[in-house]
Amino acid sequence: MSNLESYPPVFRQLKASTPPQLAELNNNSNSMGDTAQASSSVDIPVVDLECLSLEKLGEVCKEWGIFRLVNHGIPPSLLSKLEEHVKRVLSLSFESKQALLTNPLSYFWGTPLLTPTGAALRGALNINWLEGINVPLCHLQQFESEDPRLHDFRHYLEEYGRHLSRIATTLFEAMVKNLNLGPKQSESSLDESTGFIRVYRYPSGSLADEAWGMMEHTDSSVLSIVNQDQVGGLEFFKDNEWLLVNPISGTLVVNIGDMLQAISDDQFMSVKHRVRTNKQAERFSICYFVFPAKGSVIRSSKYKPFTYTDFQQQVQHDTKTLGYKVGLQRFKLNAAV
């Protein structure tokens, strides 16, 4: 099978040249937006999970909102096997992925914004040059396939998900201790059952200079944990400039999401980030996201009381009607939107 056949149809000419219809689409949607290159790569702060310092973790979350996690306890062999299977599954033909990646998994492309059922949320102003698989971990055991490639894929996802749940819970509990939250704020906890994995592939090709792999955004989660390959391309915004996160094998990148920013009374900031595509090589990443318990009310001196469901519904409404996510500003006290 040609590698091009694994792409969504609209992506299949990426490696050659920009088709006129895509060029027109990009021009109409202002595809690159802020096209400024990341001024430099940066050594983001390192947090050691085996020797977790509450003081250092708090400083990093307040000043950076993103850090590199080492000594996380995930076996290198598991990381290697999972990465191998991610590449194998995403290299199947587009039509095969649509047919095989069925409920509770879902296959999507062109946008990272999904509905609660995992369907791509259309309405965004820009196309993101990515495809991916959404994996709700609490329902993963329900996924059945006679294809042995998908059976092994599920096995490695389940094992990886257990590790990520452990890591996220450990980090969140340490963060809550650092914040000294009041009783009402502390009720807004991280719920392991909300965790899901998304695996992404960002096509290489001539559109690397004309469209983003993933547009500038903040994550809606409490925490996001990223395992990126060696191609790189993850950039984040700090001190009025875009900085590139160098990929380092065997480490994870953790960033603060919108929910933790609200829970922390804006002490911890949800970091703005984006992904730049590469002309020569495809980029793969495996991302974990986790949220507050369903129905748990987030109470903060900075925001109106709201649940994650309220937030999610507002994001979907804004994306459909405005073409972009407004986010926490919608819930800010005494804020004009």
Side-chain angles (χ1 to χ4, degrees):
M1 181 190 76
S2 165
N3 184 50
L4 289 178
E5 293 177 18
S6 70
Y7 290 136
V10 75
F11 288 176
R12 290 180 182 175
Q13 297 184 56
L14 283 174
K15 291 183 182 293
S17 58
T18 307
Q21 65 271 29
L22 289 182
E24 181 179 355
L25 173 62
N26 289 337
N27 291 333
N28 290 341
S29 65
N30 189 25
S31 59
M32 284 297 278
D34 176 8
T35 59
Q37 293 281 345
S39 59
S40 62
S41 60
V42 65
D43 294 326
I44 59 175
V46 175
V47 171
D48 188 331
L49 196 63
E50 286 186 355
C51 307
L52 197 55
S53 165
L54 294 185
E55 182 179 0
K56 180 179 180 180
L57 181 62
E59 290 176 356
V60 167
C61 292
K62 290 173 183 176
E63 297 176 13
W64 289 77
I66 187 170
F67 57 87
R68 190 180 304 281
L69 190 69
V70 300
N71 291 325
H72 44 65
I74 304 176
S77 58
L78 172 58
L79 291 174
S80 176
K81 286 291 187 182
L82 180 57
E83 291 163 7
E84 174 187 326
H85 278 75
V86 165
K87 292 179 180 179
R88 185 177 299 172
V89 171
L90 285 173
S91 294
L92 295 172
S93 72
F94 173 71
E95 290 75 17
S96 294
K97 285 179 285 195
Q98 287 188 309
L100 293 172
L101 297 170
T102 56
N103 189 55
L105 274 59
S106 58
Y107 170 72
F108 61 93
W109 63 273
T111 177
L113 294 173
L114 307 183
T115 68
T117 63
L121 182 62
R122 302 302 175 187
L125 289 173
N126 310 103
I127 285 183
N128 295 257
W129 297 104
L130 59 79
E131 62 171 343
I133 305 169
N134 186 64
V135 184
L137 291 168
C138 67
H139 301 303
L140 185 53
Q141 287 188 337
Q142 300 172 18
F143 179 71
E144 297 181 0
S145 174
E146 297 181 359
D147 191 311
R149 293 167 297 188
L150 295 182
H151 181 272
D152 292 342
F153 184 48
R154 189 190 81 170
H155 168 74
Y156 291 122
L157 284 169
E158 287 176 332
E159 188 176 351
Y160 186 71
R162 286 191 288 270
H163 281 286
L164 270 292
S165 178
R166 165 185 58 82
I167 291 168
T169 300
T170 301
L171 289 173
F172 181 75
E173 289 176 351
M175 291 171 178
V176 168
K177 289 179 182 178
N178 179 272
L179 287 166
N180 292 317
L181 298 177
K184 288 187 176 180
Q185 291 168 290
S186 299
E187 291 174 3
S188 303
S189 63
L190 174 150
D191 183 356
E192 295 178 34
S193 70
T194 66
F196 63 81
I197 291 173
R198 284 192 189 157
V199 297
Y200 294 107
R201 177 171 74 155
Y202 301 87
S204 61
S206 59
L207 278 181
D209 289 334
E210 301 183 37
W212 289 106
M214 193 178 293
M215 297 291 295
E216 169 189 322
H217 68 287
T218 59
D219 291 339
S220 298
S221 57
V222 173
L223 290 173
S224 304
I225 305 176
V226 180
N227 174 13
Q228 63 170 335
D229 66 11
Q230 296 303 295
V231 174
L234 175 62
E235 300 175 359
F236 70 100
F237 195 69
K238 177 176 168 55
D239 298 332
N240 295 315
E241 64 177 332
W242 286 100
L243 300 169
L244 177 67
V245 179
N246 283 325
I248 298 179
S249 180
T251 69
L252 302 172
V253 175
V254 181
N255 66 267
I256 303 300
D258 297 336
M259 296 302 97
L260 186 49
Q261 176 176 328
I263 291 169
S264 72
D265 258 352
D266 287 357
Q267 294 182 66
F268 295 172
M269 300 305 292
S270 183
V271 66
K272 190 185 300 181
H273 55 288
R274 64 190 186 185
V275 176
R276 189 179 294 274
T277 54
N278 187 289
K279 279 187 176 181
Q280 282 74 43
E282 295 177 327
R283 178 184 187 270
F284 293 86
S285 67
I286 306 168
C287 305
Y288 171 85
F289 306 90
V290 67
F291 302 84
K294 185 176 182 180
S296 173
V297 179
I298 296 173
R299 303 183 189 279
S300 164
S301 65
K302 308 286 186 181
Y303 301 93
K304 306 167 189 174
F306 68 95
T307 66
Y308 176 66
T309 300
D310 297 332
F311 185 86
Q312 188 180 42
Q313 291 174 347
Q314 186 64 57
V315 168
Q316 292 183 25
H317 175 77
D318 288 339
T319 301
K320 290 178 180 178
T321 58
L322 302 176
Y324 58 89
K325 167 186 168 181
V326 176
L328 282 175
Q329 190 66 21
R330 286 287 191 194
F331 298 89
K332 200 87 170 178
L333 287 171
N334 304 318
V337 179

